[in-house]
Amino acid sequence: MIAFVRGQVLAAGAGWVVVDVGPGGAGGGVGMRLEVPGRLSGAHPGAELALHTHLVVREDSLTLFGFATAEELDVFGILLGVSGVGPRSALGVLTELTPAIAQAAASEDEKPFRKVSGIGPKTAKLIAVQLAGKLDPLAFGGTEAEADETPGGRAIDDRAAATVVQGLLGLGYGEAQAETAVQDARSAGAPNDEAGLLRAALALLQAPRLPSDRGAR
């Protein structure tokens, strides 16, 4: 089992690199080809790469896939476990993978995954479900602010908000009223949990309106 490869790049093309892994580095005489996410295929000859690897064994081939981080390797393994996703499609997802897609997976939004060649709506949904809560935007080039969009942050807030809006609709409030109340409650610093957000939204809806408010309606 080949788990890791380090060496100088001998050649690179669309979706692949050849790394010199022979004794002594460059000129060692052993060049190993790895299939890689698109951004790695731009590596210049002579540059040194350190890649985490996954070997895919077929009856007629042995294909080695390489990834810049252990997180990418883990995601590749998860994707291979999704029905309908093969190594090439999994590599395509990682080529497209950005903090925005990490956020999409956190909220189980399949739309970004549909942009990957060979992945249809059903498979995209399965990918989003499988990756939900497993992608860290910081591990894929994101920022602290973007990391707040993961299940520990905005994704949970959005689900709570949607649940509270539905609850307010059940209490007889109009959709526009409910959405505005939830947005105003969140802007005012209401708790992120459903119960706290519901209380805050109800307090706004039940607050006496000023005469100027009534006149404006």
Side-chain angles (χ1 to χ4, degrees):
M1 179 66 179
I2 301 172
F4 187 82
V5 168
R6 183 195 299 274
Q8 289 188 357
V9 175
L10 296 177
W16 60 270
V17 295
V18 175
V19 177
D20 185 347
V21 295
V30 178
M32 185 172 290
R33 173 169 170 146
L34 301 94
E35 307 301 304
V36 296
R39 59 189 173 278
L40 288 178
S41 61
H44 298 292
E48 182 167 299
L49 282 183
L51 301 173
H52 301 266
T53 62
H54 181 104
L55 181 65
V56 173
V57 180
R58 296 284 188 264
E59 289 184 3
D60 58 349
S61 67
L62 296 174
T63 306
L64 193 62
F65 292 82
F67 307 96
T69 67
E71 289 81 7
E72 286 188 346
L73 176 64
D74 290 342
V75 171
F76 185 75
I78 294 171
L79 291 170
L80 292 182
V82 177
S83 177
V85 177
R88 299 296 176 185
S89 294
L91 194 65
V93 171
L94 282 164
T95 294
E96 298 292 333
L97 200 59
T98 65
I101 293 181
Q103 294 163 29
S107 57
E108 299 185 21
D109 178 9
E110 75 274 15
K111 292 191 291 295
F113 300 102
R114 296 184 191 178
K115 299 177 182 178
V116 179
S117 177
I119 293 180
K122 182 178 179 180
T123 302
K125 182 61 178 176
L126 289 174
I127 290 173
V129 170
Q130 284 293 324
L131 293 182
K134 298 175 182 176
L135 298 188
D136 180 2
L138 294 176
F140 294 97
T143 64
E144 291 288 350
E146 288 165 333
D148 289 339
E149 303 295 318
T150 61
R154 182 60 62 195
I156 284 182
D157 293 352
D158 288 344
R159 285 195 290 271
T163 300
V164 171
V165 167
Q166 290 300 314
L168 293 173
L169 293 178
L171 293 174
Y173 292 99
E175 184 173 359
Q177 274 184 301
E179 291 179 349
T180 298
V182 170
Q183 291 172 3
D184 290 347
R186 287 175 63 176
S187 297
N192 292 331
D193 63 283
E194 294 173 10
L197 186 56
L198 177 59
R199 285 194 297 270
L202 279 172
L204 291 175
L205 287 167
Q206 295 170 354
R209 288 180 295 176
L210 298 174
S212 58
D213 292 335
R214 288 195 294 267
R217 293 179 182 270

